[in-house]
Amino acid sequence: MLEIKNLHVTVGGKEILKGLNLTINDGEVHAIMGPNGAGKSTLSYALCGKDGYEVTQGSITYNGKNLMDMDPNERAGEGLFLGFQYPVEIPGVSNMNFLRSALNSQRRYRGEDEIAAVDFLKLIRAKAAELDMDPEMLKRPVNVGFSGGEKKRNEMVQMAVLDPSLAVLDETDSGLDIDALKIVATGINRLRSPDKSILMITHYQRLLDYVVPDYVHILAAGQIVKTGGKELALELEEKGYMGLGITESAA
Amino acid sequence: MVATQEAKQTVQDVTGEYKYGFVTDIETEKAPKGLSEDVIRFISAKKDEPEWLLAWRLKAYQKWLTMEEPTWAMVDYPKIDFQDIYYYSAPKSAEDGPKSLDEVDPELLRTYEKLGISLKEQEVLAGVAVDIVFDSVSVATTFRKKLKEAGIIFCSISEAAHDYPELMKKYLGSVVPVADNYYSALNSAVFTDGTFVYIPKGVRCPMELSTYFRINEANTGQFERTIIIADEGSYVSYLEGCTAPQRDENQLHAAVVELITHDDAEIKYSTVQNWYPGDKDGKGGIYNFVTKRGACRGKNSKISWTQVETGSAITWKYPSCLLIGDGSVGEFYSVAITNNYQQADTGTKMIHIGKNTSSTIISKGISAGKSEATYRGLVRVMAGAENARNFTQCDSLLIGDKCGAHTVPYIEIKNPTAQVEHEATTSKISDEQLFYCQQRGLETEDSVALIVNGFCKDVMKNLPMEFAVEAQKLLGISLEGSVG
Ligand SMILES: Nc1ncnc2c1ncn2[C@@H]1O[C@H](COP(=O)(O)OP(=O)(O)O)[C@@H](O)[C@H]1O
Ligand SMILES: [Mg+2]
């Protein structure tokens, strides 16, 4: 599915990722944890091709294709989805229209027919219901005036509709109360399947109680410094980064 | 969203070019170049006008000679040589005035089909009545018979001068006086064609009325004149669309539009202005200097202007309302997009004269490239206008950092009971918004179109359906190449 080799990324003239290696196979769920400023969001942006995140060395291969040659929308069309740490507001554009445009754009990219309006309506209503979203929210402008929890829930609805093959979720659990956290976990677990992969970026063990990862990585100072099973998250929770011998200014 | 898909399709169709820039090869008859009493007499004779109208024109011309071109607008362009313009150009085949569709020159019909206006279809399917103005003459008006049965007059202004002289005498120049400004005086002297609408008492016009303006000939100005009268308790929705060929020289368009509503009547006037804006280096394009004004003469009457301005090299335009009748209502909803080197100075004037009058102004300016957009608006509450209300919202959206947006509100209150609210914002399309859209699969230009359509939503929702889709597409096309 995804193979990242020796990835170096520079942002604003500063090298943030310094030789990161990560392989995610079909059907696997990976969690990345790490101190603030370690480069977790940088990794997710570099994967999705955000402007200003310059890959200076290394490679990103996705289903055998070189991701680095593609525009962000092409990467999305290839099945890459990013759940944003801070979802963006788009005034005047309803959730429904936004998502339908996005879905159809991805379909066109893949050479598929656009979805009929009726079918789309059915799809989005079903997904909203699964994630306990009030259908009225679908008519509201994208993320405008949404609470933190509603924004994250909205990310999950978008993910469910777009049905990506690799979802990268950047602190989708941060700042959520327990009910909202369960909704997010439901969203992720529903996507989980043998041909899809998930990369969760999180600060906290608690999400991992609901979505049990196959692997846990610790990212510090621009590199993956430790990899383990789900127990690594528990160990981290108990001992802290210092206790695991990880300092923020490592490498 | 349908609009963005279609926008994209259209973008691909035209590969980044102005879609309406072709020229129709058709035999024309022109007045001699330049402006003089003789040229005015020529125009008047061509239209076989009554004597009073010729006298009116000549008086306007004398007035114009004494006036100066205005310089207060925030637009910059080389001096116009008024002697280097043709003031009259007409397809030979249109000599005998507007016809039914069967008699219209097929070359003209093809032109409109290329522009995406299939007249036959409009007639049969859309149920929109259309008046077609090609350069200086009206070439076809559809649905006349059906409208006539309802007592509605929908014809070219030239015909109205013949067939309805009393109405013409009463209303021509009654809202926009000849000497109102430099261009209104010029228009009064040389106006060639345009649309005349009269809705009788108590009639709700059963269909949208529309005029499609097309400039074809080179070095030719278009000076149309439109008058719409809504008599007591009547209602009409009127649409106006415009395009012109792509040429290196600038061309002048100086129209005058006068609207009149009597007691309890309403006129909804919508424009999608897409004159050729010039190329990406600022060469060519239409100078659009237009005077549009409505008088709410009757009590509880209403005039609503909605405009989507995407074209023209320079736009100078302030659709306004004189709120004379007690309880009358004026509205102005505007989207003005400028890209490349376009300049737009546009806005409105709401003049509150009667008691309990209210007005709403919603202006959305979008600037990209090296363009400049100015909102210029006046809200004036006269001493006798008890309990006048105005709400103004002016939002500017900037794309890139080489363009400019300016807001120039003038507020004059002479009655202490007035309630006037003004809100203004300036924002940018952020990299975060763009990336968010792209990450969901939208291409850059679609993302821009989507964000801009969202920004303009409060205005766009006032457009009649037939125009809304077209207008949404236009927004996307106009901003092509503005990002990335
Ligand atoms: N646009 C930028 N310019 C300069 N430095 C940046 C920029 N964006 C992020 N950084 C820096 O990159 C580092 C990693 O940031 P980020 O990837 O957001 O960390 P994390 O998500 O792990 O908390 C931080 O030190 C941050 O200050
Ligand atoms: Mg982060």
Side-chain angles (χ1 to χ4, degrees):
Chain A
M1 172 80 56
L2 180 72
E3 193 170 26
I4 302 174
K5 280 194 186 149
N6 188 32
L7 185 67
H8 289 250
V9 174
T10 299
V11 187
K14 191 174 143 198
E15 183 165 75
I16 307 294
L17 296 185
K18 302 166 183 169
L20 183 140
N21 294 295
L22 179 66
T23 299
I24 301 179
N25 296 308
D26 287 359
E28 290 177 354
V29 175
H30 290 234
I32 290 190
M33 306 179 82
N36 275 325
K40 302 185 296 296
S41 293
T42 301
L43 171 62
S44 64
Y45 288 149
L47 273 176
C48 295
K50 189 176 183 185
D51 251 4
Y53 289 73
E54 197 195 339
V55 176
T56 51
Q57 261 189 75
S59 65
I60 309 174
T61 318
Y62 180 66
N63 290 333
K65 293 183 187 165
N66 177 6
L67 266 195
M68 283 156 2
D69 287 346
M70 298 182 196
D71 288 338
N73 60 293
E74 295 172 331
R75 299 183 198 203
E78 293 290 337
L80 186 58
F81 176 90
L82 173 60
F84 283 68
Q85 185 172 358
Y86 304 107
V88 179
E89 301 186 1
I90 311 177
V93 178
S94 78
N95 253 327
M96 197 109 94
N97 277 342
F98 176 69
L99 209 44
R100 190 165 140 219
S101 309
L103 179 61
N104 279 331
S105 191
Q106 291 200 11
R107 285 177 163 238
R108 283 196 302 272
Y109 173 81
R110 295 192 286 262
E112 299 163 9
D113 285 341
E114 293 190 2
I115 187 167
V118 206
D119 296 337
F120 177 75
L121 210 61
K122 273 191 208 144
L123 174 69
I124 193 170
R125 287 211 177 121
K127 297 300 181 189
E130 280 174 18
L131 293 161
D132 254 353
M133 181 192 259
D134 178 356
E136 281 303 302
M137 300 272 287
L138 298 173
K139 297 182 195 157
R140 285 180 42 191
V142 181
N143 294 324
V144 177
F146 287 22
S147 71
E150 286 170 338
K151 283 183 183 170
K152 297 297 173 69
R153 186 196 310 254
N154 202 23
E155 295 288 286
M156 291 300 102
V157 171
Q158 293 185 10
M159 180 173 84
V161 169
L162 296 173
D163 195 29
S165 54
L166 173 64
V168 179
L169 305 171
D170 191 358
E171 294 201 32
T172 302
D173 56 332
S174 290
L176 298 186
D177 61 33
I178 189 70
D179 292 339
L181 183 73
K182 282 184 181 163
I183 296 279
V184 163
T186 306
I188 303 172
N189 283 324
R190 279 187 194 269
L191 189 72
R192 205 166 179 171
S193 71
D195 58 344
K196 298 194 187 277
S197 311
I198 294 160
L199 177 61
M200 295 185 290
I201 295 171
T202 181
H203 265 305
Y204 307 102
Q205 148 66 23
R206 62 176 193 161
L207 175 65
L208 308 185
D209 287 339
Y210 297 96
V211 186
V212 182
D214 300 306
Y215 297 95
V216 174
H217 310 275
I218 296 176
L219 173 59
Q223 287 182 333
I224 300 228
V225 293
K226 209 169 167 70
T227 294
K230 61 179 191 293
E231 32 343 299
L232 180 57
L234 291 165
E235 195 185 342
L236 178 64
E237 181 118 308
E238 200 179 306
K239 298 184 182 159
Y241 292 107
M242 297 291 268
L244 287 176
I246 295 158
T247 56
E248 299 192 21
S249 55
Chain B
M1 191 167 138
V2 184
T4 49
Q5 294 151 12
E6 285 175 358
K8 186 169 156 276
Q9 192 54 50
T10 318
V11 165
Q12 285 167 346
D13 289 351
V14 302
T15 56
E17 301 288 313
Y18 181 73
K19 183 180 164 189
Y20 312 99
F22 63 89
V23 178
T24 305
D25 189 11
I26 198 159
E27 229 188 316
T28 58
E29 174 160 35
K30 291 200 195 79
K33 212 178 207 178
L35 185 51
S36 65
E37 286 210 358
D38 284 345
V39 166
I40 292 167
R41 284 178 198 284
F42 176 95
I43 293 170
S44 189
K46 269 281 149 208
K47 296 184 174 291
D48 197 17
E49 283 178 353
E51 197 53 41
W52 69 267
L53 192 48
L54 175 61
W56 195 82
R57 288 175 178 279
L58 292 172
K59 215 170 126 194
Y61 176 61
Q62 287 308 324
K63 185 73 209 174
W64 179 74
L65 288 175
T66 68
M67 296 173 82
E68 301 260 342
E69 230 177 307
T71 52
W72 45 263
M74 221 177 278
V75 293
D76 186 29
Y77 55 96
K79 209 158 170 49
I80 297 171
D81 181 355
F82 288 93
Q83 295 306 335
D84 196 33
I85 295 173
Y86 289 106
Y87 288 83
Y88 181 88
S89 164
K92 279 227 164 102
S93 55
E95 262 185 343
D96 314 319
K99 299 171 174 152
S100 77
L101 283 180
D102 302 336
E103 300 164 300
V104 172
D105 186 328
E107 187 58 35
L108 282 175
L109 287 181
R110 269 195 293 279
T111 299
Y112 287 96
E113 250 156 56
K114 253 165 126 177
L115 293 168
I117 308 171
S118 164
L119 293 177
K120 295 237 187 243
E121 257 183 40
Q122 290 264 0
E123 189 169 61
V124 177
L125 298 177
V128 177
V130 193
D131 183 22
I132 297 290
V133 177
F134 192 86
D135 289 334
S136 306
V137 292
S138 172
V139 293
T141 314
T142 62
F143 272 120
R144 278 183 198 224
K145 252 177 86 184
K146 182 158 179 213
L147 291 166
K148 214 165 183 176
E149 282 162 20
I152 293 166
I153 302 170
F154 176 52
C155 65
S156 74
I157 205 108
S158 307
E159 286 171 280
H162 278 274
D163 300 348
Y164 310 100
E166 291 318 309
L167 286 174
M168 274 289 274
K169 268 190 210 165
K170 185 166 167 194
Y171 291 106
L172 179 68
S174 74
V175 184
V176 179
V178 168
D180 184 79
N181 66 71
Y182 188 77
Y183 298 106
S184 67
L186 176 64
N187 175 288
S188 301
V190 301
F191 73 86
T192 39
D193 226 326
T195 306
F196 183 88
V197 176
Y198 173 80
I199 315 289
K201 277 185 194 171
V203 171
R204 199 182 159 86
C205 186
M207 63 185 74
E208 307 274 353
L209 301 183
S210 91
T211 304
Y212 193 91
F213 293 101
R214 171 80 177 164
I215 300 178
N216 188 58
E217 276 297 305
N219 301 316
T220 299
Q222 192 172 58
F223 305 93
E224 88 263 3
R225 186 115 194 163
T226 294
I227 300 177
I228 301 176
I229 304 139
D231 216 328
E232 281 174 35
S234 68
Y235 169 85
V236 63
S237 169
Y238 174 87
L239 326 169
E240 171 198 61
C242 339
T243 59
Q246 200 161 335
R247 295 184 191 283
D248 287 348
E249 315 83 39
N250 296 103
Q251 277 180 284
L252 181 61
H253 172 255
V256 172
V257 175
E258 300 178 278
L259 311 184
I260 299 104
T261 49
H262 293 287
D263 288 0
D264 305 305
E266 177 177 347
I267 298 175
K268 184 174 161 56
Y269 191 107
S270 313
T271 306
V272 174
Q273 186 266 108
N274 185 28
W275 296 118
Y276 178 53
D279 69 10
K280 64 180 188 342
D281 301 317
K283 200 165 181 190
I286 301 290
Y287 292 163
N288 190 33
F289 301 143
V290 169
T291 307
K292 289 185 165 172
R293 193 172 304 157
C296 287
R297 296 222 173 119
K299 64 173 171 48
N300 301 323
S301 64
K302 178 172 170 184
I303 288 178
S304 180
W305 299 99
T306 304
Q307 60 173 26
V308 176
E309 304 280 309
T310 63
S312 295
I314 297 178
T315 299
W316 179 98
K317 179 179 171 189
Y318 315 90
S320 302
C321 296
L322 304 170
L323 303 171
I324 302 163
D326 290 350
S328 57
V329 177
E331 292 175 341
F332 175 73
Y333 301 105
S334 170
V335 168
I337 292 197
T338 52
N339 196 1
N340 299 319
Y341 285 87
Q342 282 177 275
Q343 306 171 57
D345 192 305
T346 184
T348 185
K349 288 189 256 183
M350 292 291 174
I351 314 294
H352 293 256
I353 301 165
K355 297 185 180 66
N356 302 314
T357 47
S358 65
S359 59
T360 305
I361 299 171
I362 297 187
S363 161
K364 304 277 179 177
I366 299 117
S367 328
K370 299 193 171 89
S371 68
E372 294 288 332
T374 301
Y375 167 81
R376 187 184 302 276
L378 167 67
V379 176
R380 178 182 289 151
V381 177
M382 308 291 269
E386 288 291 308
N387 296 317
R389 264 156 229 274
N390 163 265
F391 173 75
T392 299
Q393 167 102 41
C394 284
D395 298 320
S396 306
L397 184 68
L398 302 175
I399 302 174
D401 52 13
K402 293 189 182 67
C403 54
H406 318 274
T407 300
V408 191
Y410 304 90
I411 300 174
E412 297 173 18
I413 311 285
K414 301 203 177 89
N415 184 307
T417 61
Q419 284 185 31
V420 174
E421 263 181 89
H422 180 96
E423 290 174 11
T425 65
T426 300
S427 52
K428 279 192 150 198
I429 291 190
S430 69
D431 294 345
E432 266 59 37
Q433 280 177 322
L434 274 180
F435 177 61
Y436 192 68
C437 294
Q438 292 166 322
Q439 205 302 306
R440 294 301 182 251
L442 293 163
E443 290 181 32
T444 310
E445 313 233 298
D446 292 350
S447 304
V448 172
L450 188 81
I451 294 166
V452 167
N453 269 304
F455 173 76
C456 300
K457 189 175 144 245
D458 291 344
V459 171
M460 304 294 269
K461 70 181 184 204
N462 290 297
L463 284 176
M465 273 296 282
E466 297 84 346
F467 261 28
V469 177
E470 181 79 3
Q472 283 179 334
K473 282 195 245 174
L474 264 180
L475 297 192
I477 294 168
S478 311
L479 289 169
E480 235 179 288
S482 61
V483 172

